[in-house]
Amino acid sequence: MTAVLRARALGKKYQRRWALTDCTLEIPAGHVTGLVGPNGAGKSTLLNLAAGMLTPTAGTIEVCGGRPGSGPAQLAKVGYVAQDTPTYARLTVSDHLRLGARLNPSWDDALARRRIERLGLDPNQRAGKLSGGQRAQLALTLGLAKRPELLILDEPVAALDPLARREVLQDLMEAVAEHGLSVVLSSHLVADLERVCDHLIVLVTSQVEITGEIDGLLATHHRLVGPRRDIATLPADQHVISASHTDRQTTLIIRTEAPILDPAWTVSTIGLEDLVLAYMGRTARVGSGSGSGRRPALEVLR
Amino acid sequence: MIEFHLDVRSGVSPYLQVVQQVRQALRLGLLREGDQLPTVKDVVARLAINPNTVLKAYRELEHDGLVAARPGVGTFVTRTLADASLAAHGPLRQDLRRWLAKARLAGLDDESIEALFMTTFRTAAQENIA
């Protein structure tokens, strides 16, 4: 497996606060990876480190075989559309395309013009006069026409209406199918991620909670419902992600590779949204402080 | 040619939905031997889903001997599922109707019947795996 992004014990500190700690990851090439987590979890920091906009405080990160932002060859391999889909307000749409063509050695001008035309953007319009959604589309056009090996998108569809959102994702997936490009995108919209992503990273309070292939993650996580039970009595290979209890009943979300044999449980599969929420709720509930090394064990709420 | 759709609320993974829709089309005779499946690019551009999802689904169908990929051309149906088993549907449905009547006579409501069927179905499926 070739990795498009490899991070080892990666960390980033802003003045006193660690925005990302001990992040070890490997993202395989040719895949679409979703990055989820609560606001302030460190998603944008991780993406900025991958794009070379930030330098790590600790650890290492390698993107497409090189150090992010290390030179023109490296910059050509990685496309990055930041969270607020930045464009130059005083430049027109066609100025942006000209700029893209000058700055990017593998620029696909035909792709860029086709896309602008299909979106119905006026080439002579200044970017500052575009709507939020149109600006996002322009920024994405630049990212796609650059023809990078890895395209990094921070909340690419947040500003878009449902129809535009679907169109962006369709174009993105078409580009993945056609050019075999790898994509890492952050989003709060888990339903979108479920459609377009095959890998997932859950980032909570500056740490990676879980990462892996989505089908594999869904196959190894289960919801167990049964009579009330102390979770300390579960088999060692069943890792409890979330637990809630009533007087008589216990509901768990667990991770296990092994079959669940105990007939007392009603076992059901969980969707991606439940999985993400279970991991996101985990650290919030135990109230762990970030950057202090090991997080405390899960507490049982009654 | 068939068109795929995706039900994100179903809880069934997208790749499995594609597999099931092809199998269903084969069973109903909507797809026959020699028919071409939509290209990965077409499916992806229509549904906004991950190309690997479609590839995975097509690989599984290929593994089951239902379709074959011709590199550079496309994926084609090699076998149909609208076979002898279709003839068995009638008698099986009658059995099921009789069972349903029995269940109602015993006082089960719709939900209980569904729950009983699903748990029995799952247990039987698990026993087959084990």
Side-chain angles (χ1 to χ4, degrees):
Chain A
M1 182 180 77
T2 49
V4 73
L5 187 154
R6 195 175 279 136
R8 288 218 179 82
L10 182 68
K12 177 69 191 174
K13 196 163 137 183
Y14 297 117
Q15 287 156 0
R16 284 231 189 108
R17 196 178 67 84
W18 283 93
L20 194 69
T21 48
D22 197 22
C23 168
T24 297
L25 273 180
E26 214 169 274
I27 298 177
H31 290 275
V32 183
T33 304
L35 177 61
V36 287
N39 294 321
K43 300 192 295 288
S44 296
T45 301
L46 176 59
L47 297 181
N48 273 304
L49 286 164
M53 304 289 283
L54 292 174
T55 47
T57 315
T60 58
I61 180 163
E62 191 187 293
V63 175
C64 301
R67 191 164 56 80
S70 57
Q74 176 69 23
L75 289 175
K77 287 190 226 169
V78 182
Y80 177 46
V81 180
Q83 194 161 23
D84 38 5
T85 55
T87 50
Y88 297 95
R90 299 188 59 85
L91 296 188
T92 65
V93 170
S94 66
D95 287 340
H96 277 87
L97 298 196
R98 250 201 318 280
L99 195 63
R102 292 280 184 88
L103 293 176
N104 296 289
S106 49
W107 181 257
D108 188 340
D109 203 47
L111 187 154
R113 294 198 180 281
R114 226 173 27 240
R115 199 155 190 281
I116 292 299
E117 195 187 305
R118 195 167 48 79
L119 293 167
L121 294 182
D122 175 4
N124 300 317
Q125 178 117 55
R126 286 190 182 179
K129 300 268 186 214
L130 296 173
S131 72
Q134 287 174 320
R135 224 169 23 246
Q137 294 277 25
L138 175 60
L140 183 72
T141 304
L142 296 177
L144 286 173
K146 179 188 169 106
R147 296 287 298 273
E149 284 177 36
L150 169 67
L151 185 56
I152 300 171
L153 305 166
D154 198 355
E155 295 280 353
V157 293
L160 303 179
D161 65 65
L163 184 63
R165 211 168 79 208
R166 179 58 60 85
E167 282 169 0
V168 162
L169 296 176
Q170 284 171 330
D171 289 358
L172 193 62
M173 290 306 105
E174 204 177 344
V176 173
E178 211 170 4
H179 310 306
L181 100 145
S182 309
V183 177
V184 176
L185 73 150
S186 72
S187 180
H188 288 303
L189 301 161
V190 179
D192 283 346
L193 294 181
E194 194 155 22
R195 284 184 103 92
V196 303
C197 297
D198 50 14
H199 273 68
L200 184 77
I201 303 168
V202 181
L203 202 62
V204 182
T205 53
S206 74
Q207 292 191 322
V208 175
E209 281 290 319
I210 190 159
T211 172
E213 195 202 0
I214 290 179
D215 284 340
L217 292 177
L218 292 179
T220 50
H221 286 77
H222 310 273
R223 178 182 288 114
L224 308 186
V225 181
R228 189 182 166 113
R229 170 151 172 195
D230 181 1
I231 58 173
T233 63
L234 288 175
D237 60 0
Q238 297 183 357
H239 307 279
V240 176
I241 311 305
S242 79
S244 67
H245 303 272
T246 66
D247 299 350
R248 296 183 185 169
Q249 199 184 45
T250 290
T251 305
L252 306 175
I253 289 180
I254 63 155
R255 185 181 76 237
T256 183
E257 306 274 335
I260 298 151
L261 301 169
D262 191 336
W265 296 119
T266 302
V267 183
S268 54
T269 57
I270 63 170
L272 193 63
E273 188 149 15
D274 291 335
L275 186 140
V276 166
L277 288 175
Y279 277 97
M280 278 178 31
R282 187 148 91 138
T283 330
R285 220 173 296 158
V286 294
S288 109
S290 62
S292 55
R294 296 268 41 93
R295 66 192 83 113
L298 186 80
E299 284 171 25
V300 178
L301 290 183
R302 291 187 179 168
Chain B
M1 189 75 86
I2 57 164
E3 252 182 11
F4 297 113
H5 54 269
L6 203 64
D7 179 4
V8 285
R9 290 261 155 265
S10 69
V12 179
S13 74
Y15 108 88
L16 214 53
Q17 291 191 40
V18 171
V19 170
Q20 285 171 354
Q21 283 169 37
V22 171
R23 297 186 73 99
Q24 182 75 352
L26 290 170
R27 229 173 261 125
L28 298 174
L30 291 171
L31 277 176
R32 297 192 194 89
E33 260 177 77
D35 283 351
Q36 187 177 2
L37 295 184
T39 65
V40 173
K41 202 184 140 200
D42 285 345
V43 179
V44 156
R46 218 183 87 76
L47 293 184
I49 60 169
N50 189 300
N52 295 315
T53 303
V54 187
L55 285 170
K56 187 173 172 184
Y58 282 13
R59 264 203 309 275
E60 177 155 326
L61 290 164
E62 198 170 358
H63 184 257
D64 293 344
L66 297 174
V67 304
R70 285 186 227 149
V73 190
T75 306
F76 294 85
V77 175
T78 50
R79 189 159 70 81
T80 173
L81 286 173
D83 55 4
S85 81
L86 209 58
H89 283 201
L92 281 170
R93 182 175 291 131
Q94 261 189 351
D95 284 356
L96 205 53
R97 273 177 194 273
R98 251 177 250 134
W99 180 84
L100 281 174
K102 253 204 248 168
R104 287 207 195 286
L105 218 62
L108 275 75
D109 61 8
D110 287 0
E111 259 177 39
S112 317
I113 290 173
E114 210 180 313
L116 181 60
F117 177 80
M118 279 322 292
T119 48
T120 315
F121 183 79
R122 281 209 197 99
T123 319
Q126 271 171 3
E127 277 163 5
N128 279 344
I129 293 166

